[in-house]
């Protein structure tokens, strides 16, 4: 692949990442009963499950126990876009926010590219797990962009903001130190 084409692809991916991050940051909170999705073009479908608040033993394998708050985003299933019959590339981005006391602030962003083969209905993209250093209020947004295999054409975008009742759940040993709310999860130290 020549240098100019590589530069063009890097530029496209950077633009997609920036655009998805901006859309995720600007999504309004609403009071519907499921996550909020915004679509453009002809995206494929998405199957997502609840975001999980839990506590992770950061000192496993030692005599000491130290549990840190953790936000787990189970692997979404992504269906192919109806706009393209051949192989498709999906750009998947997950953004974690923390409440600062006055606004939701982006504290982590992770992304990946996933190929959906022709003739398949779709496939799972990567689950994301965020081990945190402190207690707080957290929420998640995910974005998907369907591209041709050379990543030069955008067929559709879907952005999901987990901002509704029922989008979060507390799991694991210390559910008393976790509070799943209407559009976010509050995690505190289990106080061992």
């Amino acid at each position: 692949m020549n240098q100019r084409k590589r530069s063009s692809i890097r530029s496209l991916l950077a633009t997609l990442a920036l655009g998805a991050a901006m859309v995720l940051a600007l999504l309004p909170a609403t009071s519907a009963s499921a996550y909020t999705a915004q679509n453009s073009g002809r995206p494929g479908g998405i199957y997502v499950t609840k975001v999980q608040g839990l506590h992770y033993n950061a000192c496993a394998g030692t005599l000491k126990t130290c549990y840190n708050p953790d936000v787990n985003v189970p692997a979404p299933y992504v269906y192919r876009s109806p706009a393209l019959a051949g192989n498709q590339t999906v750009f998947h981005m997950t953004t974690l926010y923390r409440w600062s006391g006055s606004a939701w602030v982006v504290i982590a962003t992770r992304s990946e590219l996933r190929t959906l083969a022709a003739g398949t209905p779709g496939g799972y993209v990567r689950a994301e797990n965020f081990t945190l250093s402190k207690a707080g209020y957290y929420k998640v947004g995910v974005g998907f962009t369907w591209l041709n295999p050379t990543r030069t054409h955008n067929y559709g975008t879907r952005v999901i903001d987990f901002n509704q009742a029922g989008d979060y759940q507390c799991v694991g040993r210390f559910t008393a130190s976790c509070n799943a709310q209407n559009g976010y999860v509050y995690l505190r130290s289990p106080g061992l």
Side-chain angles (χ1 to χ4, degrees):
M1 184 183 310
N2 67 34
Q3 183 65 22
R4 185 175 175 176
K5 190 169 185 173
R6 271 187 283 211
S7 177
S8 174
I9 290 171
R10 275 190 236 117
S11 177
L12 173 66
L13 291 175
T15 301
L16 291 172
L18 179 60
M22 289 172 53
V23 169
L24 287 171
L26 296 174
L27 283 175
T30 61
S31 59
S33 61
Y35 63 80
T36 300
Q38 293 189 358
N39 307 317
S40 66
R42 295 181 63 198
I46 304 288
Y47 175 76
V48 295
T49 58
K50 294 180 180 185
V51 175
Q52 301 169 343
L54 60 140
H55 292 84
Y56 171 77
N57 185 358
C59 299
T62 69
L63 295 176
K64 181 179 177 185
T65 54
C66 51
Y67 287 88
N68 288 349
D70 193 269
V71 173
N72 180 47
V73 184
Y77 190 87
V78 180
Y79 292 92
R80 295 170 48 81
S81 166
L84 180 63
N87 289 347
Q88 300 177 7
T89 299
V90 174
F91 175 71
H92 163 229
M93 185 170 76
T94 304
T95 304
L96 179 68
Y97 301 87
R98 185 174 194 279
W99 183 251
S100 70
S102 60
W104 289 105
V105 177
V106 174
I107 61 167
T109 301
R110 297 187 184 149
S111 61
E112 70 169 320
L113 290 169
R114 167 81 159 83
T115 299
L116 301 177
T120 63
Y124 284 98
V125 293
R126 184 175 66 210
E128 295 296 352
N129 201 25
F130 300 94
T131 300
L132 309 161
S133 61
K134 58 184 173 179
Y137 297 90
Y138 296 93
K139 74 177 222 159
V140 171
V142 293
F144 305 89
T145 301
W146 284 258
L147 306 161
N148 62 344
T150 58
R151 301 184 294 271
T152 56
H153 186 79
N154 176 346
Y155 289 98
T157 299
R158 186 175 299 244
V159 177
I160 296 174
D161 186 15
F162 291 89
N163 64 355
Q164 306 297 321
D167 287 347
Y168 296 85
Q169 66 180 344
C170 295
V171 299
R173 180 175 169 192
F174 301 107
T175 55
S177 296
C178 175
N179 190 1
Q181 289 293 315
N182 194 6
Y184 62 88
V185 63
Y186 175 72
L187 291 161
R188 64 181 173 82
S189 173
L192 292 177

